[in-house]
Amino acid sequence: MAHKKSLEALDRTLRDLKKNDQLLGGSLLLLAGDFRQTLLVIPNSTPADKLNACLKTSPLWKFVKIFTLKSNIRVRFCRNETAQHLADIL
């Protein structure tokens, strides 16, 4: 996970470079990952500091559109019952 300030800085930089006041200067940014997996690593910080630094607390979060995968392609083509069972649990 990236610190929310780095994405906010990218937003300001793209707006400035493109001379466009739209979000990210009108560019599209694709972020991939699982927000539940890891928090930021901030040395000597409290859990509250880590939560405050994540993207979900940024003003940019309201512009994020979340897409989720519906089908596990690896499991579908593997045809393994154990893999299918694990995918169903997840």
Side-chain angles (χ1 to χ4, degrees):
M1 299 264 313
H3 195 289
K4 72 177 180 182
K5 295 292 183 186
S6 62
L7 291 172
E8 291 170 0
L10 176 64
D11 175 44
R12 288 189 305 273
T13 301
L14 287 173
R15 287 178 192 227
D16 187 40
L17 289 174
K18 293 186 163 203
K19 296 176 178 50
N20 186 337
D21 282 335
Q22 291 180 339
L23 181 66
L24 297 170
S27 298
L28 177 67
L29 178 66
L30 176 66
L31 302 172
D34 186 352
F35 287 100
R36 298 171 296 176
Q37 259 183 356
T38 60
L39 286 176
L40 296 165
V41 176
I42 304 173
N44 302 321
S45 65
T46 65
D49 293 335
K50 293 175 186 176
L51 289 173
N52 190 39
C54 74
L55 180 60
K56 284 189 169 185
T57 61
S58 170
L60 298 176
W61 183 251
K62 63 184 171 192
F63 300 107
V64 172
K65 184 168 184 177
I66 298 174
F67 295 96
T68 57
L69 299 175
K70 302 291 183 204
S71 176
N72 189 329
I73 300 299
R74 184 181 300 165
V75 171
R76 182 185 297 171
F77 291 120
C78 178
R79 299 177 197 265
N80 181 335
E81 287 186 29
T82 305
Q84 181 63 52
H85 179 68
L86 179 60
D88 292 339
I89 291 171
L90 293 174

